[in-house]
Every structure is written in structure tokens, then in C-alpha cells.
Amino acid sequence: MVRYMLRLGTLGFGGPVALVGYMYRDLVEERHWISDADYKEGMALAQLMPGPLAAQLAIYLGYVHFRLWGATLVGLAFVLPSFVMVVALGVAYKAYGGISWMQAVFYGVGASVIGIIALSAYKLTTKSIGKDRLLWAIYLVSAGVTIATQSEVIWVFLGAGLLVWAVRGPLKRTGSRLHGLAWAAPLAGSLGLDNVDWQKLGQIGTYFAYAGTFVFGSGLAIVPFLYGGVVKEYAWLTDRQFVDAVAVAMITPGPVVITTGFTGFLTAGFWGAVVAAAATFLPCYLLTVIPAPYFKKHGKQPAVVAFVDGVTAAAVGAIAGAVVVLGQRSIVDLPTAALALATVAVLWRFKKLPEPVVVLAAALIGLVVFPLTVQF
């Protein structure tokens, strides 16, 4: 299982929906390591809890046969390859970010990412909201609040869940609150701690643990939430850097939420990346292994299902709003607008085309077009 998850984390492109599909194909249908019932229970739990869908499913599948050791090792194996990649890209970004070719790459990639997020928001909307008028109202309010405030407001999420619960059924039990703890382990002896800004690391750990604990929806749901914190509140990154961080997550395999590692690296170097990634994924781990033994018994209660429906509608609305907010920063001229629209058109027409291929093509287009826009 660890070897398989290392491979999937290294080569698994396509986002959370593709990753959970690979797990079903490989572990249930082909290798028969996981039963169909266990897989479906894992999917239900991953959708119920906040955090990245694919990472939580991987953790649960590790838990099925090997309990805590399996959940821990499998979860680390799934996340570690993409973490190493984003740190390496962070080093290159810091070293060469001011050079024109790097700016040109992200000129194209940033626009393409907006197209990808827009298409993802559309798919999530049609799949999650359907024709439910109450969920549509929540969706539109959440999108409007995200656009107006340029950040994700957690109280909109919680309020949406409580509203749908109130409309559809009585609350039978209240959920307990889990606080993620930021931690960092020395991964390389050559990386000293002498110049570490402990105060900033504490802020990073606290903020990303909060994000990992309370952000529902797919991996993209964390994008508007992070924007409100790392750009608007703390000013750790500029608008351009934040869009680049999302782009890095798109062009690397593994969970989209690994963008937190890149963000942490730009903010406070290697240890910032370690703390940001660990603080984001630790709540996800805890929110999977702690309720796992009890989920089969309580996961289908009407009150729980109603609350999750409301939260999901708000999360999808926030993603739709984030398309507008981030698009204002990345769509800066006609070529970038054309790239975003072309990305949507290509992925809509060729549904099996891997997103990284489209992003790579956008990077190559950026290398050609960006110097021309600078000249003119």
C-alpha cells in the first residue's frame, strides 16, 4: 500500500476526482486489496469531513487493514512526493522568479489555471447543487460574499450547514471540534534552525491548521480561503504569487491542497513549507482516523446528511466566487483571456485529456507570447 501510494502521489495527475478513480480501479477492481464496501465507506467519510478528498480516502484505505500504522504511513506516502516537488519548484521560483522566462511561464499557466478552476466550479455546481432551490440560494450567497470580501468567510459555511439542518431535520448530535497542531520534523541535517522566524512559523501553523480543519469541499475549496489569509490578512504573498502557488499545485501530481507547501516555502523557506503542509494535513488525518470506527453506524443520519449538503453548497459557491476574484489578477489582457477560454474549451471537448498537458501547453504559449506583450 505504501509503495502504491508513493507511485500514485508521484504520477497521479488530474485532481481529486481522477485520484479517487485510480484508487478504485487499482485497489478494488484489479488488486482486490480493498473491498467495494470499504471503498464506498471511505468515500462517504471523506466527503463528509472537511479537508482534501483524495488524501482522506487514501488515509482511510490505509486504515482498513492496518489501522493507525496503515493510515499514517499510507497518508505520508501519498502526500510526500508532491511536497518534495513543490519545495523544489519553490526554490526555482525564488531563485529565478524575476527572470523573464519564469514570468512568461506563469503568465500562461496562471490564465490556464483560471480556466481549469472555472470548469471545475461548473462541474461541482451541476453535480452538488442540482435543482434544489435552497442549495442554489446558499450557493449564490456564498459566491457573492466571496467576490465582495475577496476571501472565504467560514461563518457562511457553518451557517449554511445549520440552515439546511434546520429546514430538513432535527439536530441529534453536535460535532466535536478538533484543532490541528502544527509540527515540523528535521528532514535534512543540513537545514539549520538558527535563522528561523518562530513567530511567523507559529502564525503559519495556526492558520493552516485552521484551514485544514474547517474547509469543506474538494481540494479547490481551500483556494478562496487561503487567498483571504495569506494575501489579504497577513500579506505573506502578493496576488501574483498566490495565483502562481495555485498554478504550481495544478502542474504537480498529488493533492491540489499541496499548494499550501509552496505557499509556506515562499513565506518562510523550507521550514515554512513543512509547517504549512503538516498543519494542513494533520487535521485531515485526525478527522479520518478518529471517526472511522463509528462512521458505519452514524454516517447516514439525516441530520448529518443535511448539514453536509448545506456546507457543500456554500463550498461550491465559494469556488465559483474564487474564479472571479482570481481571474481579475490573472486575466490581464486579450491573450490571457483567450488562454483561459481555450483551456475550458479543450477540457470540455476532450474530457480524458490530463490537465497537466493543457497547463504545459499554456506554459509554452506563455514563453512565446509574454515577451511580445512586454514589447508592446
Side-chain angles (χ1 to χ4, degrees):
M1 282 289 286
V2 169
R3 190 164 58 245
Y4 170 79
M5 289 299 175
L6 278 171
R7 182 177 180 277
L8 185 63
T10 304
L11 303 174
F13 290 94
V17 175
L19 291 171
V20 298
Y22 297 149
M23 291 181 205
Y24 185 83
R25 180 195 66 191
D26 298 336
L27 300 179
V28 179
E29 294 183 332
E30 295 183 3
R31 306 188 189 193
H32 305 292
W33 291 355
I34 302 295
S35 71
D36 187 72
D38 284 333
Y39 178 88
K40 289 179 178 178
E41 287 173 10
M43 276 292 291
L45 178 60
Q47 291 173 326
L48 176 66
M49 295 295 162
L53 176 68
Q56 285 176 300
L57 179 60
I59 291 168
Y60 184 86
L61 296 182
Y63 181 88
V64 167
H65 293 304
F66 307 104
R67 295 302 182 262
L68 288 178
W69 274 111
T72 303
L73 295 177
V74 165
L76 286 173
F78 181 65
V79 173
L80 190 59
S82 54
F83 173 77
V84 172
M85 292 179 199
V86 298
V87 168
L89 287 171
V91 172
Y93 185 87
K94 273 195 169 181
Y96 305 110
I99 295 179
S100 59
W101 73 265
M102 193 61 138
Q103 295 175 331
V105 166
F106 283 104
Y107 171 84
V109 169
S112 181
V113 165
I114 297 301
I116 292 172
I117 297 178
L119 187 59
S120 297
Y122 171 77
K123 290 179 179 179
L124 285 170
T125 300
T126 56
K127 182 178 180 180
S128 303
I129 309 302
K131 297 180 179 180
D132 191 303
R133 293 183 179 180
L134 176 59
L135 297 185
W136 267 109
I138 292 171
Y139 169 89
L140 293 173
V141 169
S142 179
V145 170
T146 301
I147 295 170
T149 64
Q150 298 192 349
S151 63
E152 183 182 79
V153 181
I154 188 64
W155 300 113
V156 173
F157 277 44
L158 297 178
L162 292 174
L163 175 62
V164 177
W165 156 76
V167 170
R168 295 183 178 174
L171 182 63
K172 296 181 179 179
R173 297 186 68 176
T174 57
S176 62
R177 180 185 295 178
L178 292 173
H179 293 280
L181 299 177
W183 57 272
L187 302 180
S190 59
L191 296 169
L193 298 172
D194 297 342
N195 298 320
V196 169
D197 186 340
W198 294 104
Q199 182 179 0
K200 180 175 285 187
L201 282 184
Q203 290 178 329
I204 291 172
T206 302
Y207 179 75
F208 283 99
Y210 182 75
T213 304
F214 290 105
V215 175
F216 289 78
S218 74
L220 288 172
I222 204 170
V223 171
F225 188 93
L226 292 183
Y227 179 80
V230 303
V231 178
K232 303 293 289 184
E233 182 177 353
Y234 293 104
W236 289 332
L237 301 184
T238 64
D239 287 329
R240 179 73 259 173
Q241 287 175 321
F242 180 77
V243 173
D244 292 347
V246 177
V248 165
M250 291 292 184
I251 64 177
T252 52
V256 174
V257 179
I258 202 62
T259 187
T260 59
F262 187 82
T263 301
F265 185 88
L266 296 187
T267 303
F270 174 78
W271 292 106
V274 171
V275 170
T280 303
F281 284 98
L282 182 57
C284 149
Y285 168 81
L286 294 175
L287 288 168
T288 302
V289 298
I290 291 175
Y294 313 101
F295 181 71
K296 185 177 292 187
K297 182 177 180 180
H298 301 291
K300 296 180 181 179
Q301 288 185 359
V304 176
V305 173
F307 180 81
V308 173
D309 284 344
V311 172
T312 301
V316 177
I319 294 173
V323 175
V324 177
V325 174
L326 297 177
Q328 294 172 347
R329 276 79 184 174
S330 294
I331 310 302
V332 295
D333 50 26
L334 287 177
T336 49
L339 263 176
L341 292 174
T343 297
V344 173
V346 169
L347 290 176
W348 182 270
R349 175 63 179 83
F350 304 99
K351 299 188 185 303
K352 294 185 178 181
L353 183 65
E355 292 173 351
V357 173
V358 179
V359 174
L360 177 61
L364 296 175
I365 293 172
L367 287 171
V368 175
V369 175
F370 182 72
L372 299 177
T373 63
V374 173
Q375 291 177 8
F376 295 102

